[in-house]
Amino acid sequence: MSEVTTAADQSGDALENLLTESRQFAPSVEFAANAVIHGGEYAKANADRPAFWGEKSRELLTWSKPFTKTLDWSNPPFATWFEDGEINAAYNALDRHVEAGNGDRVAIYFEGEPGDTRTYTYAQLTEEVKKAANAFEALGLAKGDRVAVYLPMIPEAVITLLACARIGAIHSVVFGGFSADALRSRIDDAEAKLVITADGTFRRGKPSSLKPAVDEALSAPGHSVQHVVVVKRNGQDVNWAEGRDVWWDDTVGQASTEHTAVGHASEHPLFILYTSGTTGKPKGILHTTGGYLTQTAYTHRAVFDLHPETDVFWCTADVGWVTGHSYVTYAPLINGATQVMYEGTPDSPHQGRFWEIVEKYKVSILYTAPTAIRTFMKWGEDIPAKYDLSSIRLLGSVGEPINPEAWMWYRRVIGGDKAPIVDTWWQTETGAIMVAPLPGVTSTKPGSAQVPLPGIAVDVVDELGASVQHGHGGYLVIREPWPAMLRGIWGDNERYKDTYWSRFDGMYFAGDGAKWDEDGDVWLLGRVDDVMNVSGHRLSTTEIESALVSHPSVAEAAVVGAADETTGQAVVAFVILRGSAVEDADIVTTLRNHVGHEIGPIAKPKTILVVPELPKTRSGKIMRRLLKDVAEGRAVGDASTLADNTVMNQIAESLRK
Ligand code: WTA
């Protein structure tokens, strides 16, 4: 059962502060003069959205067969874009740059966690992808087949994704921090034929493994996987299933460098990416080719003011998340940019690692998450001060609301008080950035994602779906189809309609609360459903509750996302133990590990509180709002709808003990 709180509930007093934000930073004359995109773009897009996207698509992409249609919205909420066109994503990301004489341009500077490095030019990366495409085909992979990808942040991840796209196979990346169980359920849902993984990776100077989770996931029979391709990354010993497992070097390494990319239909599926929703089972978000590539490429150029000949772009997201799909794997390469790819964490071997990388590769555009920025703030500004960050000319933020204080710190300490900050709002489902300033046009404002991009119809509406006035809050919706929109949930059209299109008639409901300020800028206020945002990672309260109650000691569980200074939100669980279970210090550790095993380490609750009862309405819904008050140390709000109004006292009493 989901308890939907209103946006106003979520924002509380903070709203007043938001609305009085008066600091604004206009682009410098020089920045504006050299910007890729000018202000006229909004009017052009408004005049005819589908035509605008059609023009962008022709400009930014090379179609194998040109399209004659743009949008078809005759069967909402199922959209098609550029339906009669054919295109190959890998050809657009690779071959065409080589053909245009840019084969020697660096595509990827890879920085490994232990400090090893590799550089791939466009010509080299094209060759690697052709080899991988041949190797995957030799293993029986064909157009339309699904491939589960469970890899660390290494170039083979990008190579794998592009090789799949090249042959029309559909990749489904599972973040390396997910458990064997989570991996198995995603493999099963997509009926993946091939798994691409690595022996492991490195975390904070130590080897950490991946292959054992794949072995565990495939240990029970009845799965669809025929082969597992294993990249040798950290040299750990691995178990080997003869006939099933093959080393990357023995297959891809030996394959031919000749491979011709053919065009696939614009609406051919490109990938599935699972994300948490309000119910327990993760949803396989489906993206297709032509529209997705158009909007990712356009937004990457427009929002980051990309000058591919001179910029060095670094998006710090893992390829396991949508940001690592759109702004590591696809858009930068489609646009012919040079980018940095980093395997490790910001604190290893020291807290200056990010800034060392910026200095070393002369990163000019940095795209990271507020949780990282708040961590850097905590570590102190002397750390970045030791490095030359003068190459930076633009900063991006994504994944959660960025508080004005962190925004100001980012601008001053990392951006040298001059680099514009683009706060970008979007989702796995939207495929590409939807709301963000245009850095050569918009005066940026700390804390606000600001303006729907040209060609994007974002609105804030009230309970009944009516637009709210400037100065008011409500729900973020999207009123018109957009090119990179999800095309559905893998195998479940009804769930797609229910989840996104049923709350407000004819509008896509994003699940976020938002507000227009008096200037007409959008402020994102966080999720209004049962989705939590921990360090920019989406986690479902229900999914973690299910994991907890699957443990024999737990009778009932309720999970909330409590405000956390660094991670945005933290997972706090309230559990009722079964009569027979004893409450001791170990139970908390046991349950945390159990969640880690069921879902993955990222989902482990920060705090688990053992309580005698949970607050429920008469209809049996858990009132998470009240638990959130407890978790955040606030006076408990209105509890009048509780079936038993002594419950909150019982909880308070048990926590005092
Ligand atoms: C949140 C990540 C505020 C939001 C690209 C959204 C943000 C969810 C921002 C999607 C932002 C993302 N400001 N909130 N700039 N960017 N969010 O699918 O709640 O992992 O619904 O996609 O993250 O998370 P997802």
Side-chain angles (χ1 to χ4, degrees):
M1 275 292 125
S2 71
E3 183 199 340
V4 175
T5 50
T6 64
D9 268 2
Q10 297 260 327
S11 52
D13 299 339
L15 223 56
E16 290 314 308
N17 303 337
L18 298 184
L19 285 177
T20 54
E21 180 62 68
S22 55
R23 290 169 289 193
Q24 293 210 18
F25 300 89
S28 69
V29 174
E30 194 198 344
F31 194 102
N34 294 320
V36 181
I37 302 289
H38 298 277
E41 203 94 337
Y42 292 107
K44 195 153 115 194
N46 280 339
D48 187 340
R49 280 174 212 284
F52 168 80
W53 286 116
E55 185 189 311
K56 292 297 161 196
S57 191
R58 289 188 187 97
E59 200 178 295
L60 293 163
L61 304 175
T62 306
W63 288 80
S64 316
K65 174 174 172 250
F67 56 88
T68 62
K69 300 182 201 158
T70 52
L71 167 69
D72 183 346
W73 190 234
S74 56
N75 179 31
F78 300 94
T80 68
W81 282 90
F82 318 122
E83 200 190 348
D84 60 345
E86 288 176 5
I87 187 163
N88 188 292
Y91 174 81
N92 274 269
L94 301 163
D95 312 49
R96 66 169 179 156
H97 301 309
V98 181
E99 288 166 13
N102 292 322
D104 291 338
R105 185 183 293 169
V106 172
I108 297 178
Y109 286 119
F110 170 67
E111 175 86 13
E113 132 94 13
D116 57 321
T117 60
R118 277 187 262 168
T119 299
Y120 290 86
T121 63
Y122 272 92
Q124 290 166 332
L125 196 65
T126 305
E127 224 168 66
E128 291 306 315
V129 170
K130 287 179 174 178
K131 282 158 67 178
N134 282 321
F136 295 172
E137 283 180 330
L139 288 170
L141 194 70
K143 183 166 174 171
D145 287 342
R146 274 79 61 203
V147 179
V149 181
Y150 192 62
L151 281 170
M153 267 308 269
I154 55 177
E156 285 82 355
V158 170
I159 293 166
T160 294
L161 269 44
L162 291 173
C164 290
R166 191 172 187 95
I167 61 184
I170 306 164
H171 56 77
S172 164
V173 181
V174 181
F175 176 59
F178 280 119
S179 68
D181 280 6
L183 174 62
R184 174 64 185 259
S185 67
R186 286 156 175 80
I187 287 173
D188 286 349
D189 189 70
E191 296 170 283
K193 201 168 174 181
L194 197 63
V195 176
I196 317 292
T197 189
D199 49 359
T201 176
F202 299 91
R203 270 290 167 271
R204 303 202 164 83
K206 294 196 198 76
S208 88
S209 43
L210 281 168
K211 173 87 168 33
V214 176
D215 294 334
E216 191 188 331
L218 301 181
S219 62
H223 59 74
S224 46
V225 175
Q226 294 173 359
H227 291 288
V228 177
V229 179
V230 189
V231 177
K232 190 173 267 174
R233 173 61 187 141
N234 66 13
Q236 278 185 319
D237 283 342
V238 289
N239 288 331
W240 207 249
E242 281 310 326
R244 185 196 73 186
D245 297 350
V246 274
W247 286 110
W248 175 279
D249 285 343
D250 293 343
T251 47
V252 178
Q254 307 303 316
S256 156
T257 55
E258 299 293 317
H259 188 279
T260 308
V262 298
H264 303 299
S266 178
E267 285 298 336
H268 183 68
L270 185 62
F271 66 86
I272 305 167
L273 183 58
Y274 288 83
T275 188
S276 296
T278 52
T279 58
K281 191 170 164 257
K283 303 173 285 205
I285 302 300
L286 175 67
H287 282 287
T288 61
T289 312
Y292 173 82
L293 297 179
T294 301
Q295 194 181 331
T296 50
Y298 173 71
T299 51
H300 184 246
R301 289 218 69 165
V303 176
F304 300 110
D305 185 46
L306 181 81
H307 293 72
E309 309 77 19
T310 48
D311 275 317
V312 177
F313 178 75
W314 182 21
C315 166
T316 67
D318 191 281
V319 77
W321 309 111
V322 73
T323 311
H325 283 60
S326 302
Y327 299 103
V328 177
T329 306
Y330 289 105
L333 298 173
I334 297 280
N335 286 333
T338 295
Q339 70 175 325
V340 170
M341 183 176 192
Y342 172 53
E343 182 183 23
T345 53
D347 58 352
S348 186
H350 56 79
Q351 294 176 339
R353 186 75 189 265
F354 266 34
W355 318 121
E356 191 177 73
I357 292 173
V358 167
E359 178 181 285
K360 177 171 173 187
Y361 296 105
K362 300 196 167 39
V363 170
S364 57
I365 305 171
L366 176 68
Y367 190 30
T368 195
T371 184
I373 299 163
R374 290 191 296 263
T375 303
F376 298 137
M377 281 174 78
K378 212 163 62 185
W379 290 344
E381 56 188 86
D382 337 340
I383 295 173
K386 288 187 211 137
Y387 300 89
D388 178 6
L389 306 182
S390 61
S391 55
I392 289 183
R393 62 176 201 89
L394 189 109
L395 295 169
S397 173
V398 63
E400 50 180 318
I402 176 166
N403 45 310
E405 196 194 348
W407 195 103
M408 290 300 295
W409 188 92
Y410 196 29
R411 181 180 160 93
R412 181 173 59 79
V413 179
I414 308 303
D417 246 333
K418 59 177 202 305
I421 295 179
V422 289
D423 176 9
T424 64
W425 178 88
W426 59 295
Q427 308 176 294
T428 305
E429 292 86 342
T430 69
I433 299 171
M434 302 293 278
V435 180
L438 288 180
V441 179
T442 319
S443 290
T444 57
K445 189 189 273 184
S448 167
Q450 298 194 290
V451 210
L453 288 179
I456 299 297
V458 162
D459 199 1
V460 181
V461 299
D462 65 18
E463 288 288 337
L464 300 173
S467 298
V468 302
Q469 301 292 312
H470 288 178
H472 294 271
Y475 304 95
L476 194 78
V477 296
I478 306 164
R479 287 187 174 277
E480 302 285 339
W482 62 103
M485 69 190 267
L486 76 165
R487 297 303 195 265
I489 294 176
W490 183 254
D492 202 343
N493 282 344
E494 281 310 307
R495 193 172 174 204
Y496 165 64
K497 288 195 238 174
D498 277 4
T499 310
Y500 302 106
W501 300 90
S502 65
R503 178 72 177 80
F504 301 108
D505 201 25
M507 295 176 234
Y508 169 91
F509 173 43
D512 282 35
K515 180 147 195 122
W516 290 121
D517 70 11
E518 298 292 354
D519 303 329
D521 284 327
V522 182
W523 291 78
L524 274 308
L525 303 175
R527 301 286 306 195
V528 292
D529 54 13
D530 291 341
V531 174
M532 295 171 290
N533 193 325
V534 179
S535 298
H537 299 158
R538 266 169 81 166
L539 297 170
S540 147
T541 53
T542 330
E543 205 183 342
I544 300 177
E545 286 165 3
S546 307
L548 284 166
V549 294
S550 74
H551 191 276
S553 297
V554 177
E556 274 193 85
V559 165
V560 297
D564 184 281
E565 237 179 47
T566 308
T567 59
Q569 287 189 311
V571 180
V572 177
F574 294 80
V575 297
I576 304 179
L577 295 180
R578 282 187 191 283
S580 53
V582 265
E583 185 187 333
D584 55 36
D586 286 351
I587 189 73
V588 169
T589 315
T590 307
L591 293 180
R592 289 188 76 239
N593 291 338
H594 178 69
V595 173
H597 185 261
E598 293 290 302
I599 305 173
I602 51 165
K604 282 186 182 177
K606 184 176 178 192
T607 311
I608 296 183
L609 301 166
V610 177
V611 293
E613 277 303 334
L614 290 172
K616 289 185 190 154
T617 61
R618 280 173 201 90
S619 62
K621 275 195 215 171
I622 294 174
M623 292 193 70
R624 293 199 182 78
R625 177 169 58 80
L626 301 179
L627 293 174
K628 211 168 149 151
D629 289 341
V630 174
E632 293 177 349
R634 258 195 315 274
V636 172
D638 180 11
S640 57
T641 54
L642 282 184
D644 172 357
N645 58 19
T646 66
V647 167
M648 293 315 293
N649 295 338
Q650 293 178 40
I651 292 177
E653 186 57 32
S654 78
L655 297 182
R656 255 198 300 279
K657 278 190 207 148

